[in-house]
Amino acid sequence: AVAALGAEAAAIPLATAAPVAAAGYALLLVAAAAAVAAALTRTRPESAAIELTGAAVAVVAVAVASRDAGTAAGAFTVLGVILGGVALRPDRRPLAGFAALSMQVAAWIWLAGHGVGTPEAYTLPLSVVLLALGAHRRQDDATLSSWTAYGPGLAASLLPSLFLAIGGTGTVRPLLLGAGALALLLAGARARLQAPLALTAGTLALLALDQLGPAFAEVAADLPRWLPPALGGALLLVLGSSYERRRADLRKARAAFTRLG
């Protein structure tokens, strides 16, 4: 019945010479109706058949509606709304991630269709969604590691920008990336979380080496040749004289980092 209703819904706009994308949106309406029907009959055996057939209709709908960037973005947006509604059911909560992903794909298609070439326009919304999902998972499970909850979102926001900033000629991206990483570092330290501390500290260190490395190289080139080895030797002597204390400090720091969430 669901498949027949979908075929009829797609045939009506095609028979009236409407755009092909209209048939896809009509199929999405059938998929939405199937989701409602499955929710109303979830205690009956028919619910699984309705839901599975509705999911198949939704896949066909998105494929038919995606004629250009505008219609594809609209189709993924409607699909995200349908999945979000289904995810309201307690037994379908995992679909919330797919709903967010569908919305994100819609945003990416819209940005690409309008010629947006800044990578952060694509990565930052995704990282916000991933961080929000991670925070929700940690609310449900307090023992969940911060690497599992926040690692993907932080990596999506930091790593692409860091890759573009290192070796780049502009100054705006490194400045904004450094400010954002510093804010996340302070937030991670306040919340006592491993993933924000480690990822942002590594980002800041690599960014500082990239930005300050050429200046240090120029200064080192003007120094006498004997001075860098002398300074290195002096540093080794200082470290060697306090070796045991440094090892104890390192063990304490490692233990403190391990205790973080």
Side-chain angles (χ1 to χ4, degrees):
V2 175
L5 183 61
E8 183 69 19
I12 292 174
L14 293 177
T16 58
V20 177
Y25 284 110
L27 286 170
L28 282 172
L29 291 177
V30 174
V36 174
L40 294 176
T41 61
R42 63 180 180 271
T43 59
R44 298 166 57 184
E46 296 90 337
S47 177
I50 295 172
E51 193 168 25
L52 290 174
T53 312
V57 170
V59 173
V60 175
V62 172
V64 173
S66 300
R67 313 307 298 178
D68 52 46
T71 57
F76 276 102
T77 301
V78 176
L79 179 62
V81 172
I82 295 173
L83 291 174
V86 176
L88 294 177
R89 293 172 50 182
D91 57 336
R92 293 292 184 268
R93 289 292 169 81
L95 289 178
F98 291 97
L101 178 61
S102 182
M103 291 288 192
Q104 185 61 65
V105 171
W108 283 343
I109 295 174
W110 185 87
L111 290 170
H114 286 75
V116 177
T118 304
E120 286 79 5
Y122 298 84
T123 59
L124 289 181
L126 175 62
S127 65
V128 171
V129 172
L130 292 175
L131 290 173
L133 290 175
H136 179 70
R137 292 179 63 189
R138 275 185 67 89
Q139 285 182 350
D140 294 338
D141 183 7
T143 62
L144 189 66
S145 169
S146 63
W147 290 99
T148 303
Y150 302 120
L154 291 171
S157 60
L158 295 174
L159 296 184
S161 298
L162 179 62
F163 177 78
L164 294 172
I166 291 178
T169 57
T171 58
V172 176
R173 179 176 279 114
L175 180 62
L176 293 178
L177 177 61
L182 180 59
L184 290 172
L185 176 66
L186 296 176
R190 181 179 178 83
R192 301 181 62 82
L193 297 174
Q194 283 186 5
L197 280 174
L199 290 175
T200 54
T203 298
L204 289 172
L206 292 175
L207 195 61
L209 287 175
D210 178 69
Q211 297 297 310
L212 301 177
F216 284 139
E218 292 180 2
V219 172
D222 295 334
L223 294 175
R225 292 186 178 181
W226 57 267
L227 187 57
L231 292 176
L235 179 61
L236 289 175
L237 287 174
V238 172
L239 293 177
S241 63
S242 58
Y243 176 71
E244 292 299 331
R245 188 174 60 187
R246 301 302 176 194
R247 286 189 60 187
D249 292 341
L250 184 60
R251 284 195 295 267
K252 291 179 181 179
R254 182 179 179 180
F257 183 76
T258 304
R259 286 194 299 268
L260 300 178

